[in-house]
Amino acid sequence: MKNIFCIGIGLIGGSFAIDIKKQHPESIIYGISRKDATLEKALELNLIDKKATLDDLNNADLVIVSIPVDATVKLLPTILDKISDKTLVFDAGSTKEAICKVVEHHKNRRNFLACHPIAGTENSGPTAAISDLYKGKTNIICEVEKTTFHLQEKALDLFRAIGMRIRYMDPVSHDKHIAYVSHLSHISSFMLGKTVLAKEKNERDIFDMAGSGFASTVRLAKSSPAMWAPIFNQNKENVIESLEEYINNLQKFKELMQQDNFSEIFKEMENTNYIKQILNGIK
Ligand code: NAP
């Protein structure tokens, strides 16, 4: 694999660039982004070897698309227009239905693999890129049967080489499940941050009193709105459904408090402790 193009060279694209370069030191990593300053930063950090544009894509062996999901929906058909027969294109978007749909009938659909690496941090941009982000993490692949077999194999070799596990799912199930385990946790964290900020106008008090519980629960509220707003938009129905269930649970908790029903509150928490076994199992 010689010519690798990263469209979007932030946390996800930059981290792929680092790990793939380790596996393929002979490769040339090209960066494509909206802002020249982002590409300059990526060059300075050695994430990419050269700057490029979409018109250079006919040279690509591999194209990794790691830009916000609304930009992916807009740009992916053009990317597929510009590649050659041998090119593998995969995306990393956190939603899958809209992305798969927009290229459903594209003549080069078989060159595209729809992916969602379940790996990340709350940081963004090229400076957030880190080595080994994907080690031991799951990559969810959707509609694998729509990708040409030898390109599937090429992608799987690459993902395994950087330490990823693979799971297959259809895009509709992906978006439904991910609303609960990822999108809802981000909203919950953003709104926890908002609630505490509104109450504690004096930021010093927050920092003085914040324990590791607050810091870890509110960590996701540091995430980029530019990345998350399009995700909530594309997965609106599922996110609203998950929010309704979450709000019902919060409401019920509040009512139990108002009724002084602390034995029921104890039971609710004890039942939810079961999450420990599940999380230990997926470590
Ligand atoms: P990020 O760190 O903010 O990087 C995204 C980069 O995309 C930005 O540096 C931005 O560069 C560039 N970009 C934005 N719009 C663009 C456009 N229209 N054309 C070309 N470049 C554009 O975000 P990220 O965390 O890497 O996320 C990238 C993708 O991975 C998203 O689809 C996200 O859903 C998915 N993902 C994220 C995570 C996570 O935890 N962060 C996990 C799994 C999947 P400029 O400065 O040039 O605008």
Side-chain angles (χ1 to χ4, degrees), residues 7-14 32-39 65-72 75 91-95 99 116-126 128 186 224 226-228 231:
I7 304 182
I9 192 82
L11 166 69
I12 294 295
I32 299 179
S33 204
R34 273 183 316 187
K35 298 181 195 146
D36 193 53
T38 304
L39 290 178
V65 185
S66 326
I67 54 180
V69 291
D70 55 340
T72 303
L75 215 56
D91 83 310
S94 305
T95 54
I99 291 171
H116 180 194
I118 308 297
T121 69
E122 66 279 21
N123 304 317
S124 55
H186 281 79
S224 154
M227 192 192 109
W228 280 99
I231 293 173

Side-chain angles (χ1 to χ4, degrees), residues 2 6 10 15 23 25 34-35 37 70-71 73 80 96 117 123 127 135 141 167-168 195 201 216 242 250:
K2 180 98 170 63
C6 292
S15 300
Q23 294 294 326
R34 273 183 316 187
K35 298 181 195 146
D70 55 340
V73 164
L80 291 185
K96 292 271 70 77
N123 304 317
T127 52
K135 206 175 198 166
I141 296 181
R167 257 208 82 177
Y168 297 99
T195 310
K201 287 277 185 320
S216 63
S242 72
L250 287 175

